[in-house]
Amino acid sequence: MSATITAPPRTALARGARHDGARARRRRVLMWIATHALAIALALMFLAPVVFIGLTALMTDDQALTSQLWPQSWNWENFAVVFEKSLLLRWAGNTLMYAALGTVFTLVSSVPVAYALARFRFRGRRLAFLVVITTMMLPPQVVAVPIYLVWARLGLTDSLWPLILPLLLGDAFSIFLLRQFLLTIPCDYTDAAKVDGCSDIRTLLQVVLPMARPAIAAVALFQFFYCWNDYYGPLLYAGVEQEKLTLSLGLATFKAFHSVQWNLTMAATLLVTAPVIIVFFLAQRVFIEGVTLTGVKG
């Protein structure tokens, strides 16, 4: 008598395969969470204040003063009220002018200096670089009074030009960062360009700058963020007129006038910080590449 061997049904095999696949996926997810546990904890810690600001911005005036964390009603009109009760668009225009011109002036003035310190060999080159580094250690409050008197005699106070025009003379941190990156570029490229008859300016524009785009992007973002968030400089020179304020000063003024309306204050804070966050995420890849590729040679 021969025994017959019956194969398990296909549905059971498929069910077992799905079960094994789901268990493998759960294992991979748990392994990923365990590997990135510290990063996840830090991300949640940094995101918590942003979430709190966003939830408070959508509350009513009465609920914003309570201990409740979740809005009872979603008041999206709070953002429109901020525009009605402030000159937010005018402040944004002033800040954008300050940040854009400051970034362009910094790049135009800092790139040639960094190129000269990285490529030219002249007597006193190390001393000049030491002077640049020394200026980074000087607090701006030390020279605030004499510099303010100079701009006052020139009649440029009550404006942002005393903050923009000095950037035509270069920025110490930008020069340092660009020089360190240019030192990592092999000299063979510039030497080949000079053999072909290129001048120093043409070599800088056509050979060095395309290779230094990550560092230039990082410097541009650093300077743009600094100008956008600057509070001390506009506090000295912008004056007291509402039309001349920047976003940082305007936000402080708005908070003073609406100190008990925390929902409007949080809504204004989100509107002020949103452009910076968007710009950073759009240029995050180039920014990180420029920072990580900047060497410490020399």
Side-chain angles (χ1 to χ4, degrees), residues 57-60 73-82 84 264:
L58 298 174
M59 295 181 181
T60 59
S73 60
W74 302 90
N75 299 274
W76 297 97
E77 63 275 7
N78 290 341
F79 296 97
V81 174
V82 171
E84 296 174 0
L264 298 182

Side-chain angles (χ1 to χ4, degrees), residues 23 50 158 163 170 181:
R23 184 163 50 186
V50 180
D158 293 336
L163 303 175
F181 184 88

Side-chain angles (χ1 to χ4, degrees), residues 7-140:
R10 294 183 178 179
T11 56
L13 292 175
R15 192 182 302 111
R18 286 197 299 267
H19 180 71
D20 294 339
R23 184 163 50 186
R25 284 193 297 270
R26 286 196 299 267
R27 187 182 299 109
R28 287 195 298 268
V29 170
L30 292 176
M31 288 295 297
W32 185 89
I33 294 175
T35 305
H36 302 85
L38 181 59
I40 294 173
L42 292 175
L44 293 177
M45 183 176 64
F46 283 106
L47 285 176
V50 180
V51 174
F52 174 77
I53 293 174
L55 294 177
T56 307
L58 298 174
M59 295 181 181
T60 59
D61 294 342
D62 298 333
Q63 187 184 0
L65 297 175
T66 63
S67 59
Q68 298 179 2
L69 298 179
W70 193 260
Q72 296 178 354
S73 60
W74 302 90
N75 299 274
W76 297 97
E77 63 275 7
N78 290 341
F79 296 97
V81 174
V82 171
F83 285 97
E84 296 174 0
K85 294 188 176 182
S86 67
L87 300 176
L88 191 64
L89 292 178
R90 184 62 180 271
W91 300 341
N94 296 336
T95 307
L96 185 60
M97 182 193 70
Y98 174 29
L101 291 179
T103 302
V104 173
F105 288 174
T106 299
L107 293 178
V108 170
S109 58
S110 299
V111 170
V113 178
Y115 177 70
L117 292 176
R119 283 291 183 263
F120 293 168
R121 298 293 182 266
F122 56 91
R123 182 176 298 178
R125 180 172 62 96
R126 293 186 179 273
L127 179 60
F129 182 66
L130 181 61
V131 171
V132 173
I133 297 299
T134 304
T135 58
M136 297 172 57
M137 306 176 185
L138 187 65

